[in-house]
């Protein structure tokens, strides 16, 4: 599945909900997770792992596990999204984070942090933010944020937000109505929304090599 396919399903679901209830509502995480794993062609299951913590931490991560029984079989991936339990205190933020981590299902294989060297380089680049250098893992993190926004606020829902905002309703008020972060609504109202949507759809049209993971690897991590 490509992200554009998922977005089409989200768009249809949002429009259907509005037609049936008269209210605009974003889809939930369970809807997105079920859509991603529906055909089992890449990821067979998404598992949520809540990590208990007394620390004020908002860490979350996405991990792909290769569950095939024989190295000569086709890869069978199970995705795990783990998050710090303190996020339970902010349901709107937790919803966004879970969706954003799920979007890493669409990371191209060449961006996977699947070795110790790649992980070390990723952490180094994340810390230093070197000039004129793009780390693939960092790039897909930024892209995942926009895909999450698009999945939560597809074009039909954005049209409603733009119209409501034009009538004087603020992004924080609209965020409360939809159960979304104010910052997500504000970003969706920005004109860059159209550029991001066009860019991601264009990226979807580019051919991507099928993943061929090292059979000796237990998992492939994408943060």
């Amino acid at each position: 599945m490509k992200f554009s396919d998922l977005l089409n399903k989200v768009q249809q679901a949002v429009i259907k909900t509005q037609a049936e209830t008269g209210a605009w509502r974003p889809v939930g995480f369970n809807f997105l997770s079920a859509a991603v794993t529906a055909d089992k062609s890449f990821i067979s299951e998404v598992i949520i792992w809540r990590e208990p913590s007394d620390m004020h931490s908002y860490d979350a991560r996405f991990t792909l596990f290769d569950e095939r029984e024989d190295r000569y079989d086709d890869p069978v991936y199970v995705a795990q999204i783990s998050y710090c339990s303190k996020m339970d205190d902010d349901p709107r933020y937790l919803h966004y984070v879970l969706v954003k981590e799920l979007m890493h299902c669409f990371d191209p294989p060449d961006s996977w942090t699947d070795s110790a060297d790649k992980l070390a380089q990723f952490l180094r680049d994340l810390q230093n933010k070197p000039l004129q250098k793009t780390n693939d893992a960092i790039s897909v993190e930024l892209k995942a944020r926009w895909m999450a926004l698009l999945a939560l606020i597809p074009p039909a829902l954005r049209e409603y937000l733009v119209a409501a905002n034009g009538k004087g309703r603020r992004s924080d008020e609209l965020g409360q109505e939809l159960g979304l972060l104010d910052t997500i609504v504000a970003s969706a109202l920005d004109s860059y929304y159209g550029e991001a949507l066009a860019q991601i759809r264009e990226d979807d049209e580019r051919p991507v090599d099928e993943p061929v993971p090292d059979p000796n690897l237990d998992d492939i991590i994408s943060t």
Side-chain angles (χ1 to χ4, degrees), residues 63-67 77 114 214-221:
T63 309
L64 272 183
F65 293 94
D66 187 347
E67 296 293 317
Y77 293 112
D114 54 4
D214 184 337
N216 296 316
L217 289 176
D218 291 327
D219 56 69
I220 298 170
I221 302 174

Side-chain angles (χ1 to χ4, degrees), residues 18 42 49 60 85 111 138 155 168 222:
Q18 197 281 330
F42 180 53
W49 182 262
S85 60
S111 72
I138 294 177
S222 177

Side-chain angles (χ1 to χ4, degrees), residues 66-77 212-215:
D66 187 347
E67 296 293 317
R68 58 184 164 179
E69 297 181 357
D70 189 290
R71 69 174 58 190
Y72 299 106
D73 293 340
D74 291 333
V76 178
Y77 293 112
V212 184
D214 184 337

